[in-house]
């Protein structure tokens, strides 16, 4: 699903061991006038390097990457679930 697609395109091979990557995904809803456009956030995640394991030469997320879900903290409720 969505996380598998993100795993294919994001990595944390930059900066130093303290660098983090924050990823916000969602749906942009463009509305006709006089309505305002809207953004529906679907996920809010912070990726960081694990310091315990050696880094692999791969662009894909692997066991060297920690994923922290920030959605509830940022928006006050769990991320929406769509099936």
């Amino acid at each position: 699903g969505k996380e598998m697609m993100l795993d294919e395109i994001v990595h944390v091979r930059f900066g130093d061991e303290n660098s983090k990557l924050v990823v916000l995904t969602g749906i942009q809803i463009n509305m006709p006038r006089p309505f305002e456009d809207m953004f529906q956030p679907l996920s809010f995640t912070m990726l960081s390097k694990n310091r315990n394991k050696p880094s692999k030469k791969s662009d894909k997320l692997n066991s060297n990457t920690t994923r922290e879900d920030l959605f509830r903290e940022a928006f006050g409720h769990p991320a929406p679930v769509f099936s």
Side-chain angles (χ1 to χ4, degrees):
K2 173 183 57 161
E3 284 188 8
M4 285 176 50
M5 184 174 77
L6 282 175
D7 291 352
E8 294 291 323
I9 59 175
V10 300
H11 63 82
V12 290
R13 291 189 304 114
F14 60 88
D16 62 21
E17 67 275 358
N18 297 315
S19 297
K20 298 179 184 329
L21 174 66
V22 177
V23 179
L24 174 66
T25 68
I27 299 172
Q28 175 67 38
I29 305 167
N30 298 313
M31 301 293 292
R33 290 179 194 225
F35 304 103
E36 292 187 24
D37 292 344
M38 295 180 274
F39 180 75
Q40 173 63 55
L42 298 178
S43 71
F44 188 34
T45 307
M46 181 170 54
L47 307 172
S48 57
K49 300 172 188 174
N50 281 339
R51 297 181 192 157
N52 306 344
K53 299 181 181 179
S55 180
K56 293 182 180 177
K57 302 243 182 206
S58 171
D59 284 347
K60 296 179 184 178
L61 295 181
N62 53 47
S63 60
N64 296 327
T65 305
T66 300
R67 183 189 308 250
E68 182 180 353
D69 187 349
L70 301 174
F71 196 94
R72 182 184 292 272
E73 182 180 341
F75 298 106
H77 56 83
V81 178
F82 300 97
S83 14

